[in-house]
């Protein structure tokens, strides 16, 4: 799948998390967490096809934009705000060491500008707490500082397109989503809905999908390598987004479905919604 992605010759590569997969989901010792994550990142970077893809991007000056999700952070459905702060600091340091994401201060969230597109990469793990602890918290998932930064930069953006890179899905599919945090979900919807050209790009749930039920337009694409828990087959899911002044073409690639999901969302009409 890495060779297929390299053949696409992307202008930027976005990795939305679960980029490596922790075997241990109950880490309590930062040193052990560091050791396991470090070994996983090293193994991933030794994969010859992945290494070739990264080398090709680097040779062309094209960025890798990576964030983490749960399995390359503290483990299955775990959140930085629920545990010893040393654990989340460790996981973030390992992401920085190995994938060097753009940063805002010491944080790994960022806005990246590519002509027609402003691409936000959010950190949805470091400040997050379990849903029951923050259902009514408007700062949930991102934390107060990241929320303020995100709203300010989003509203200031004059780019025709705004892509929000989100490790977890907005709409509920699996067992984690923004919808499980009603106050934060409403805050996101108030920000995004009605803004022509804005869409969320998310991963996590081992499927390709597109939703606009809530007024937030969301493209889901995952996972590049793991078997789908829905269909039990290797699917090699990834997405290619191609931006033009008239709209964004979305190709959801899958070994199983080929290029079946290939549509363009036109920009400039009255509605900004899935075709
Ligand atoms: Fe995940």
């Amino acid at each position: 799948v890495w060779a297929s992605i390299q053949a696409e010759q992307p202008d930027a590569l976005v990795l939305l998390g679960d980029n490596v997969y922790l075997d241990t989901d109950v880490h309590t010792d930062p040193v052990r967490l560091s050791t396991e994550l470090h070994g996983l990142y090293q193994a991933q970077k030794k994969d010859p096809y992945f290494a070739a893809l990264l080398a090709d991007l680097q040779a062309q000056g094209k960025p890798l934009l990576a964030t983490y999700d749960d399995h390359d952070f503290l483990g299955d459905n775990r959140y930085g705000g629920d545990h010893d702060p040393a654990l989340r600091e460790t996981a973030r340091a390992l992401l920085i060491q190995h994938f060097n994401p753009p940063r805002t201060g010491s944080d790994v969230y960022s806005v990246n500008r590519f002509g027609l597109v402003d691409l936000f990469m959010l950190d949805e793990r470091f400040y997050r707490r379990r849903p029951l602890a923050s259902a009514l918290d408007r700062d949930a998932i991102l934390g107060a500082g990241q929320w303020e930064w995100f709203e300010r930069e989003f509203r200031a953006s004059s780019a025709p397109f705004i892509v929000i890179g989100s490790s977890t899905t907005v709409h509920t599919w699996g067992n984690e989503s923004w919808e499980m945090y009603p106050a934060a979900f409403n805050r996101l919807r108030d920000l995004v809905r009605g803004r022509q050209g804005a869409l969320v790009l998310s991963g996590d749930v081992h499927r390709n999908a597109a939703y606009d039920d809530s007024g937030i337009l969301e493209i889901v694409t995952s996972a590049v390598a793991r078997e789908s828990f829905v269909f039990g087959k290797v699917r090699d899911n990834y997405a290619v987004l191609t931006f033009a002044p008239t709209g964004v073409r979305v190709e959801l690639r899958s070994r199983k479905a080929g290029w079946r999901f290939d549509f363009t969302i036109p920009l400039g009409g009255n509605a900004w919604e899935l075709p």
Side-chain angles (χ1 to χ4, degrees), residues 17-22 24-25 27 30 33-34 36-37 40-41 67-95 108 123-129 167:
D18 298 331
N19 305 319
V20 297
Y21 233 74
L22 284 168
T24 309
D25 288 328
H27 278 288
L33 175 66
S34 178
E36 189 181 349
L37 275 174
L40 291 168
Y41 278 115
T67 190
Y68 38 48
D69 195 39
D70 49 347
H71 292 281
D72 42 0
F73 189 65
L74 303 188
D76 190 34
N77 293 354
R78 294 177 98 212
Y79 309 103
D82 290 338
H83 302 283
D84 176 357
L87 290 168
R88 66 182 186 180
E89 296 280 354
T90 296
R92 190 169 69 178
L94 268 290
L95 175 73
V108 291
D123 179 349
E124 300 184 0
R125 286 289 160 192
F126 196 85
Y127 298 102
R128 192 167 179 160
R129 300 169 65 204
S167 61

Side-chain angles (χ1 to χ4, degrees), residues 2-272:
W2 301 121
S4 300
I5 293 171
Q6 188 180 348
E8 308 274 4
Q9 286 291 292
D11 292 318
L13 176 66
V14 177
L15 298 179
L16 289 166
D18 298 331
N19 305 319
V20 297
Y21 233 74
L22 284 168
D23 288 326
T24 309
D25 288 328
V26 289
H27 278 288
T28 53
D29 177 1
V31 176
R32 286 191 168 183
L33 175 66
S34 178
T35 302
E36 189 181 349
L37 275 174
H38 187 61
L40 291 168
Y41 278 115
Q42 281 189 312
Q44 180 61 38
K45 293 199 298 191
K46 276 189 194 142
D47 176 283
Y49 296 100
F50 187 70
L53 170 60
L54 294 196
D56 193 12
L57 287 167
Q58 192 166 32
Q60 298 186 62
K62 293 173 175 173
L64 164 68
L65 300 157
T67 190
Y68 38 48
D69 195 39
D70 49 347
H71 292 281
D72 42 0
F73 189 65
L74 303 188
D76 190 34
N77 293 354
R78 294 177 98 212
Y79 309 103
D82 290 338
H83 302 283
D84 176 357
L87 290 168
R88 66 182 186 180
E89 296 280 354
T90 296
R92 190 169 69 178
L94 268 290
L95 175 73
I96 290 169
Q97 179 185 342
H98 288 282
F99 284 158
N100 192 29
R103 295 190 275 291
T104 300
S106 58
D107 283 292
V108 291
Y109 55 78
S110 64
V111 57
N112 306 272
R113 305 187 198 280
F114 300 96
L116 290 174
V117 185
D118 280 353
L119 168 65
F120 286 84
M121 292 296 290
L122 300 181
D123 179 349
E124 300 184 0
R125 286 289 160 192
F126 196 85
Y127 298 102
R128 192 167 179 160
R129 300 169 65 204
R130 64 195 186 283
L132 280 176
S134 48
L136 302 178
D137 180 5
R138 279 173 49 79
D139 293 329
I141 301 181
L142 302 184
Q146 184 176 189
W147 259 117
E148 281 171 27
W149 163 87
F150 178 44
E151 286 180 327
R152 184 175 67 247
E153 293 290 337
F154 185 97
R155 293 195 172 112
S157 171
S158 57
F161 296 97
I162 298 178
V163 176
I164 301 162
S166 171
S167 61
T168 50
T169 59
V170 168
H171 299 96
T172 298
W173 176 258
N175 54 3
E176 288 188 302
S177 74
W178 279 67
E179 281 187 304
M180 296 173 70
Y181 298 79
F185 175 81
N186 288 337
R187 187 172 176 178
L188 180 70
R189 190 171 55 180
D190 289 345
L191 181 66
V192 170
R193 187 167 55 179
R195 202 294 189 181
Q196 289 262 331
L199 62 89
V200 174
L201 186 63
S202 59
D204 186 39
V205 292
H206 303 205
R207 67 190 275 109
N208 283 342
Y211 306 95
D212 59 3
D213 317 26
S214 65
I216 301 172
L217 205 157
E218 176 174 27
I219 307 295
V220 184
T221 186
S222 58
V224 290
R226 299 288 294 199
E227 292 178 356
S228 163
F229 62 69
V230 181
F231 296 102
K233 293 224 167 69
V234 175
R235 293 169 70 84
D236 292 354
N237 287 347
Y238 65 94
V240 177
L241 272 60
T242 308
F243 297 91
T246 50
V248 54
R249 181 179 179 188
V250 179
E251 296 165 275
L252 294 175
R253 304 274 206 253
S254 173
R255 181 189 294 197
K256 188 175 173 74
W259 294 10
R260 195 172 107 210
F261 300 103
D262 179 352
F263 53 90
T264 296
I265 311 169
L267 187 65
N270 289 329
W272 169 249

